[in-house]
Amino acid sequence: MNALEALIVRRIRAAGPITMADYMAEALGHPVHGYYMRGDPFGRAGDFTTAPEISQMFGELVGLWCVDTWRRMGAPGRAVLVELGPGRGTLMADALRAIAVDPAARAALDPHLVETSPALAAVQRARLAGAGATWHTGIGTVPEGPMVAIANELFDALPVRQVERTPAGWRERMVGVGPDGRLTVALAPAATAAAMLVPASLRDAPSGAVAEMAPAALVLADALARRVAARVGAALIVDFGDETPAGRPTLQAVRGHARAEPLADPGEADLAAAVDFGALARAAREAGAAAWGPVPQGRFLHALGLGLRAERLRRRAAPEQAAAIDVAVRRLAAPEGMGTLFKALAIAHPALGTPAGFAGAAPTESPC
Ligand code: SAH
């Protein structure tokens, strides 16, 4: 067993089983052994590839979304451009290049990066040298004011709790220590507070159904919504997930581009859970913002001009580069790629109107 599993086993032996969310937080965020604390997990040689690492087109189109949002905000002379969970800094670098097409927008937008991993913040600092960016470990220290925010594949990394429907009621799935001394999943013997949080759509689910809840994701959606509603602005959240939860566990481990066992070798595999976009939209509306979508990533990118951008890049590309551009378009936008599994949600000030890329997506209905 690796060093982090040994630490978690010791903690459980001392204080009892932990929630799946606590396990996920340790596996991803332990200061020494946590997956994101160890270094750079992205790309072909790493564990998984995200949309901005597939092609510069993704970040460029998100940059255009930022410019359009800033203009809808009334083109304020200063606004914060926040990225949450910036990875290698590729998305921000590509977005800033596209934003610079409108020099007034680039001059007004002040980049702020929210990153918990010192190792990845160092990668981002090197990538974004000269961009005038500021780093934070949480949204709380980002200056208040007009805001454009983006987050790609951050929400899926936020810890989830899981509760399972049993004949005796909802019971939380906990991480404990099995007879072999290794980490194992066991149901809590009595109801825990998480049972109260089961979404309405699953309350009558049959025995065996699992509800997954991400309290930290709701807290972050609430914070973003409060900021855009208090002044002006919008946040774009792109991730894999659905509008309503499926009633089964989605927490998965990925290592070397293949599925792995979530409890095996903590800190050595990425852990991610499908984002419950409906829950984020409800949290945003309750905080006074409008929520748009989710719309499938493919539709979102095409609405922002993916086809045109690819055509323009292809025109000055060598034949093998042109073929690579076509492959990237399919990976980003086709149903067999990320086109439908991944979705975009916008949280916006109610007066902003339909954000770019969300035309035809009615604002998720208001609570009143
Ligand atoms: N957006 C990037 C990286 C996605 S991976 C891309 O698309 O390529 C998730 C990123 O979120 C990593 O940079 C990770 O270190 C960071 N992260 C994880 N938990 C976080 C948290 N609670 N707050 C801020 N960043 C976090």
Side-chain angles (χ1 to χ4, degrees), residues 14-251:
I18 59 175
T19 65
M20 206 54 99
D22 283 341
Y23 170 76
M24 200 172 162
E26 286 282 25
L28 294 180
H30 183 279
V32 178
H33 306 293
Y35 181 73
Y36 284 116
M37 302 295 148
R38 294 154 55 111
D40 183 348
F42 307 105
R44 199 173 288 254
D47 292 309
F48 59 99
T49 307
T50 59
E53 303 298 337
I54 289 174
S55 165
Q56 66 184 77
M57 293 183 286
F58 183 83
E60 290 168 348
L61 294 171
V62 169
L64 296 182
W65 185 89
C66 294
V67 172
D68 181 81
T69 300
W70 173 78
R71 288 181 187 159
R72 281 167 199 273
M73 289 157 58
R78 290 210 69 179
V80 293
L81 171 63
V82 188
E83 182 179 1
L84 302 130
R88 281 180 173 169
T90 308
L91 170 53
M92 183 57 95
D94 293 338
L96 287 175
R97 209 174 48 248
I99 291 170
V101 168
D102 180 342
R106 180 63 191 92
L109 289 166
D110 224 355
H112 289 264
L113 294 107
V114 178
E115 172 60 68
T116 44
S117 158
L120 283 169
V123 175
Q124 294 152 22
R125 277 201 175 85
R127 185 70 200 264
L128 296 166
T134 312
W135 274 260
H136 307 262
T137 53
I139 182 88
T141 54
V142 174
E144 305 269 344
M147 175 181 82
V148 181
I150 55 178
N152 185 63
E153 290 209 48
L154 164 71
F155 278 79
D156 66 18
L158 299 179
V160 292
R161 292 176 77 160
Q162 295 180 334
V163 289
E164 185 173 322
R165 183 79 195 252
T166 73
W170 291 94
R171 292 290 179 268
E172 185 153 14
R173 301 182 84 214
M174 308 292 288
V175 177
V177 179
D180 59 354
R182 307 296 299 268
L183 296 176
T184 185
V185 173
L187 292 185
T192 55
M196 310 279 295
L197 304 174
V198 173
S201 64
L202 290 177
R203 238 162 256 157
D204 298 320
S207 197
V210 172
E212 234 167 23
M213 287 131 343
L218 298 181
V219 168
L220 184 54
D222 174 83
L224 291 170
R226 273 176 209 287
R227 278 175 181 250
V228 299
R231 291 290 295 273
V232 64
L236 175 70
I237 297 168
V238 182
D239 225 307
F240 80 102
D242 286 298
E243 184 152 12
T244 49
R248 54 180 175 75
T250 69
L251 175 62

